[in-house]
Amino acid sequence: MSERILHLLTYHSNEPMLFSSGLFLMLFLGFTFIYMLLQRRLTMRLLFVTAFSYYFYYKSSGFYFGLLAIVTLSDFFIARLIAVHKSKWLVALSLLIDLGLLGYFKYTNFFAGMWAQMVGNNFQPWDIFLPVGISFFTFQSMSYVIDVYRGDLKPLPSLLDYAFYVSFFPQLVAGPIVRARDFAPQIRKPLEITSQMFAQGCYLIAIGLFKKAVISDYISLNYVDRIFDNPSLYSGVENLLGVYGYALQIYCDFSGYSDMAIGIALLLGFRFPMNFNAPYRSESITDFWRRWHISLSSWIRDYIYISLGGNRKGKVRQYVNLILTMLLGGLWHGASLNFIAWGGMHGVALAIHKWVREHVFRHDKTYRSSGLRWLLSVLLTFHFVTFCWIFFRNRTFEDSWTMLQQIFTNFHPELFIQVVTGYWAVFALMLFGYVTHFVPDRLQDRFIRLLEKGGVVVCALVIVVVIYMVIQVKSSEIQPFIYFQF
């Protein structure tokens, strides 16, 4: 028995800590009990949460939690020096440490392989482990240092406050990327969890768990992964349905994590900004990036696009900046030419949309279409985004090309009914996922108010029902979140 408990509590690379796992649920219940006991003991509560956050990261990446400590210590002290000296060299030192760690673990094999290819050498990738969430916490820490340098933020008063901010476990390994200027004012406020926060937190945890463990995991294991693993074995209609499935899978997987992270933070008395806002309802590619992974897209805008010059140096330079920004955004997602191509396509699309909006339709930024024009705009945007997901999901350009060839030259529409009936549960979940994506926000707000009126018992019942559904459909293997690899 003790060996079993020890096995559960120690790190195993094939069993990372997930919000959707039973182990996390048990640990979180114990964590919450102690957390509430420390309600009026601020320093002890901050220490306890920080220690739990480091343990949470240990369960995701083993002893690589040392990287989290290195980034935290270096940026805390560098930011304090920057507040006094306003030195660009100190900012450069911070970026060198943060991007150096990120570059080594994430991009060494990619660039070494490209160099070996250029000089004609045979390259065998080195065995470099990619710590979970390193892109998220380094970006979060970088934004703090840059904001202090720009004068937008005062340094946090203590190392404990900063360690608490950087390591706070709900958003540690897959976002959202929370800015210090939004989070820091909440750290030392008296702990208050209103009935509305509790109801909204429970709702987001339940809906996020359903998105991830019911919709995303089920359609990926039972259909989508099979198509993308061997696209040449399936007809064009099966490949196309697989692409539509992946578009829903990645949305439910990532937004499901964000929902749970925001919900857990609410139960602990902290508010995170929204990270997804029904992105497949977007009527343009610009609108899509206002709705998809909002914390990353706003980070890229504020710290890369604006730093490159933004729209301050003429229209041509603005379009170039958009493309360069999205190329870097693609590279952030992974060390692969596929991700760079994905980012490049989005960058070009953003530049084209901006030019067409300003010079052809002459619409301002506040313009919103309606009626049939809105429907056509949404369909066009959705299909462009879905087309780009082909390159994002496939491991190689060859696989992407094979999939496109199957769709355009070997479609076989007569197989549609057979495929849908053969995988009826998968397509029923896909239909449910896409239809509920267009449910008005006011209905969600109404449901949260009902939970608030129902109190703790009704909230707990909703979560238990979702957990029961997860148990009914879950596979024997743990399905990590897609964005753990980024």
Side-chain angles (χ1 to χ4, degrees), residues 25 28-29 32 193-211 256 258-271 444 447-467:
L25 178 62
F28 185 68
L29 289 174
T32 305
I193 304 168
T194 64
S195 59
Q196 191 276 336
M197 290 174 69
F198 185 82
Q200 186 181 5
C202 289
Y203 170 80
L204 289 171
I205 291 170
I207 202 71
L209 187 59
F210 184 84
K211 284 180 183 178
S258 292
D259 288 343
M260 285 187 275
I262 296 168
I264 290 169
L266 282 169
L267 295 187
L268 300 178
F270 293 87
R271 294 186 182 275
Q444 173 180 283
F447 187 75
I448 292 173
R449 286 196 296 271
L450 289 174
L451 289 179
E452 186 178 356
K453 290 180 181 178
V456 176
V457 174
V458 174
C459 290
L461 183 61
V462 169
I463 292 178
V464 168
V465 170
V466 173
I467 291 174

Side-chain angles (χ1 to χ4, degrees), residues 64 67 70 95-112 123 125-131 134-135 138 335:
Y64 284 94
L67 299 176
I70 291 171
L95 295 179
L96 180 64
I97 294 170
D98 294 345
L99 295 179
L101 289 173
L102 184 62
Y104 172 74
F105 286 99
K106 196 166 183 176
Y107 303 107
T108 297
N109 280 323
F110 175 65
F111 288 113
F123 175 71
W126 296 312
D127 185 20
I128 299 176
F129 175 78
L130 178 61
I134 188 171
S135 297
T138 52

Side-chain angles (χ1 to χ4, degrees), residues 315-343:
K315 289 298 180 183
V316 174
R317 178 65 180 273
Q318 181 183 14
Y319 302 145
V320 171
N321 288 341
L322 278 172
I323 295 170
L324 286 175
T325 299
M326 291 308 298
L327 283 170
L328 291 171
L331 188 61
W332 177 89
H333 281 84
S336 165
L337 291 175
N338 282 29
F339 292 118
I340 296 174
W342 172 81

Side-chain angles (χ1 to χ4, degrees), residues 162-189:
Y162 190 64
F164 180 88
Y165 157 65
V166 176
S167 68
F168 191 50
F169 71 91
Q171 45 78 49
L172 176 58
V173 294
I177 301 171
V178 182
R179 307 286 183 90
R181 61 173 175 255
D182 297 322
F183 190 81
Q186 303 181 61
I187 294 176
R188 293 191 170 269
K189 285 177 61 177

Side-chain angles (χ1 to χ4, degrees), residues 99 356 360 441 466 473:
L99 295 179
V356 170
V360 178
D441 293 339
V466 173
V473 303

Side-chain angles (χ1 to χ4, degrees), residues 74-298:
S74 62
D75 281 344
F76 173 75
F77 289 109
I78 289 172
R80 290 177 75 87
L81 290 172
I82 287 173
V84 176
H85 300 290
K86 294 293 182 183
S87 170
K88 290 184 178 180
W89 292 107
L90 289 171
V91 178
L93 176 61
S94 171
L95 295 179
L96 180 64
I97 294 170
D98 294 345
L99 295 179
L101 289 173
L102 184 62
Y104 172 74
F105 286 99
K106 196 166 183 176
Y107 303 107
T108 297
N109 280 323
F110 175 65
F111 288 113
M114 288 184 64
W115 174 255
Q117 206 169 28
M118 285 190 290
V119 299
N121 289 340
N122 183 31
F123 175 71
Q124 295 298 323
W126 296 312
D127 185 20
I128 299 176
F129 175 78
L130 178 61
V132 171
I134 188 171
S135 297
F136 289 94
F137 68 74
T138 52
F139 269 34
Q140 189 159 296
S141 194
M142 285 165 56
S143 69
Y144 168 76
V145 172
I146 295 170
D147 282 349
V148 170
Y149 174 74
R150 289 176 174 176
D152 297 332
L153 181 71
K154 292 182 179 179
L156 291 182
S158 72
L159 179 59
L160 176 58
D161 286 38
Y162 190 64
F164 180 88
Y165 157 65
V166 176
S167 68
F168 191 50
F169 71 91
Q171 45 78 49
L172 176 58
V173 294
I177 301 171
V178 182
R179 307 286 183 90
R181 61 173 175 255
D182 297 322
F183 190 81
Q186 303 181 61
I187 294 176
R188 293 191 170 269
K189 285 177 61 177
L191 179 60
E192 181 184 17
I193 304 168
T194 64
S195 59
Q196 191 276 336
M197 290 174 69
F198 185 82
Q200 186 181 5
C202 289
Y203 170 80
L204 289 171
I205 291 170
I207 202 71
L209 187 59
F210 184 84
K211 284 180 183 178
K212 162 61 181 171
V214 177
I215 297 179
S216 179
D217 285 357
Y218 189 84
I219 66 175
S220 65
L221 285 172
N222 293 283
Y223 188 78
V224 174
D225 288 352
R226 300 177 189 180
I227 301 298
F228 277 90
D229 287 345
N230 293 287
S232 61
L233 299 181
Y234 297 92
S235 66
V237 69
E238 291 168 296
N239 274 272
L240 182 60
L241 290 171
V243 174
Y244 287 144
Y246 182 71
L248 183 65
Q249 176 199 344
I250 191 171
Y251 165 72
C252 287
D253 189 285
F254 194 19
S255 72
Y257 184 96
S258 292
D259 288 343
M260 285 187 275
I262 296 168
I264 290 169
L266 282 169
L267 295 187
L268 300 178
F270 293 87
R271 294 186 182 275
F272 287 170
M274 179 188 297
N275 205 28
F276 287 85
N277 183 18
Y280 294 143
R281 295 198 326 224
S282 305
E283 56 185 271
S284 69
I285 193 62
T286 303
D287 190 28
F288 174 80
W289 281 106
R290 294 192 189 110
R291 294 168 174 265
W292 177 274
H293 200 350
I294 299 168
S295 63
L296 175 64
S297 57
S298 62

Side-chain angles (χ1 to χ4, degrees), residues 11-113:
Y11 167 70
H12 301 280
S13 59
N14 59 338
E15 298 177 3
M17 178 84 84
L18 303 176
F19 289 159
S20 54
S21 67
L23 175 62
F24 176 78
L25 178 62
M26 290 187 294
L27 289 175
F28 185 68
L29 289 174
F31 166 87
T32 305
F33 177 74
I34 300 174
Y35 184 80
M36 297 311 296
L37 288 178
L38 299 173
Q39 181 176 359
R40 300 186 185 282
R41 302 183 64 182
L42 178 61
T43 300
M44 288 299 296
R45 179 157 45 87
L46 295 181
L47 282 168
F48 172 66
V49 176
T50 303
F52 183 83
S53 298
Y54 270 78
Y55 173 72
F56 181 86
Y57 193 69
Y58 160 76
K59 279 291 292 177
S60 300
S61 291
F63 290 101
Y64 284 94
F65 67 77
L67 299 176
L68 178 61
I70 291 171
V71 169
T72 300
L73 287 168
S74 62
D75 281 344
F76 173 75
F77 289 109
I78 289 172
R80 290 177 75 87
L81 290 172
I82 287 173
V84 176
H85 300 290
K86 294 293 182 183
S87 170
K88 290 184 178 180
W89 292 107
L90 289 171
V91 178
L93 176 61
S94 171
L95 295 179
L96 180 64
I97 294 170
D98 294 345
L99 295 179
L101 289 173
L102 184 62
Y104 172 74
F105 286 99
K106 196 166 183 176
Y107 303 107
T108 297
N109 280 323
F110 175 65
F111 288 113

